Amino acid sequence: MKRVRFRDSAGNVRGGRWTVEDGEEVVTAAAGPYGRISFGDETFAPDDVDILPPCEPTKIVCVGLNYADHAAEQDKEVPDRPLLFLKPPNTVTSHNQEVTLPSGKERIDHEAELAVVIGERCKGVSADAAMDYVSGFTCLNDLSNRDDQRVEQNWVRGKAFDDAAPIGPLVATPEHVPEDATIECRVNGELRQQSSRDQFIFSVPELIEEITTYMTLEPGDVISTGTPAGVGPLADGDEVEVEIEGIGTLRNTVHIP
């Protein structure tokens, strides 16, 4: 199943299924016309509703350097355990929204990532049991202010600014997302990043085991699993797309005051 949250024209927050057209119900999460979003026996054209973040995390646990090629382009050693940092709820924004980035910075980068949405409260979970606690997967763009990230240790200014974590457009249950799912980022239609989930240094179950050793994850919390090589700067007016096989495309425009 592919689940979506949206606000209809009357201002009601709704939940529904995002399905592929097969003669009856419609929806495509890819580029071009989106079809209809189905909710019960009602359908809505996406242009008539606001797509909301597909979950409401209390925290986003991000993983740094989880692809060897990205570690190389950052001139870093591959870590011997997951490199973790946090993004708070103020960073969350949704599909098709304009993201406002900090002004006066030399470089703010896109980072396309597969995000794991937690379905049940969990702590001290083994890798073998980890997927029992996963609601599904979505797309996330780990927007990164390199100016400040380079000069601070905790990355608050570099990673935790408003709108720093566009997420969506939907949550796809695990059977929809192949173990070798492709992960891509395009900026103004130009391919910037292209890799596969099977290139992770640490797998999703390994990440859940490590993270829940130290903290409790709540339903709706997100683990962002790291980005492949090809990260690059964004400019005012850019359109950024993060597309993951089995999920769809997260699209945002960039505003830099």
Side-chain angles (χ1 to χ4, degrees), residues 134-154:
V134 172
S135 174
F137 299 106
T138 189
C139 307
L140 188 142
N141 190 352
D142 174 21
L143 295 171
S144 301
N145 162 18
R146 302 300 190 199
D147 293 34
D148 289 304
Q149 185 183 0
R150 284 193 293 264
V151 297
E152 62 181 8
Q153 292 185 336
N154 55 22

Side-chain angles (χ1 to χ4, degrees), residues 58-69:
T58 68
K59 55 189 169 294
I60 301 172
V61 186
C62 298
V63 182
L65 305 180
N66 200 26
Y67 291 79
D69 58 0

Side-chain angles (χ1 to χ4, degrees), residues 173-196:
T173 47
E175 69 270 15
H176 288 286
V177 185
E179 291 293 331
D180 60 350
T182 56
I183 299 169
E184 295 184 348
C185 180
R186 296 181 294 274
V187 178
N188 303 324
E190 175 192 356
L191 185 65
R192 293 273 191 93
Q193 294 179 271
Q194 186 176 50
S195 191
S196 169

Side-chain angles (χ1 to χ4, degrees), residues 76-87:
K76 303 287 187 182
E77 296 291 330
V78 172
D80 59 5
R81 66 174 183 170
L83 172 62
L84 305 178
F85 61 94
L86 295 173
K87 285 185 180 248

Side-chain angles (χ1 to χ4, degrees), residues 5 8 15 52-53 64 70 81 97 106 114 135 138 152 174 180-181 188 194 203 205 226 232 243 253 256:
R5 294 175 65 243
D8 65 22
L52 301 175
H70 178 56
R81 66 174 183 170
Q97 295 300 302
E106 290 186 5
L114 174 75
S135 174
T138 189
E152 62 181 8
D180 60 350
N188 303 324
Q194 186 176 50
S203 69
E243 183 172 358
T253 55
I256 302 178

Side-chain angles (χ1 to χ4, degrees), residues 18 28-34 37 45-54 93-99 166-170 238-242 249-254:
W18 192 305
T28 174
Y34 279 22
I37 294 171
D47 287 346
D48 294 337
V49 298
D50 293 324
I51 305 298
L52 301 175
T93 191
S94 57
H95 173 68
N96 272 345
Q97 295 300 302
E98 181 179 80
V99 295
I167 186 170
L170 53 86
D238 282 347
E239 180 182 79
V240 188
E241 295 175 305
V242 175
T249 303
L250 168 68
R251 183 179 299 105
N252 298 95
T253 55
V254 171

Side-chain angles (χ1 to χ4, degrees), residues 6 12 15 17 39 41 45 51 69 99 104 107 116 119 127 154 172 177 194 202 204 207 218 227-228 234 251:
F6 62 96
N12 301 307
R17 295 180 298 136
F39 180 81
D41 58 358
I51 305 298
D69 58 0
V99 295
R107 180 161 175 165
V116 182
N154 55 22
V177 185
Q194 186 176 50
F202 302 103
V204 169
L207 293 175
E218 303 289 347
T227 197
L234 295 170
R251 183 179 299 105

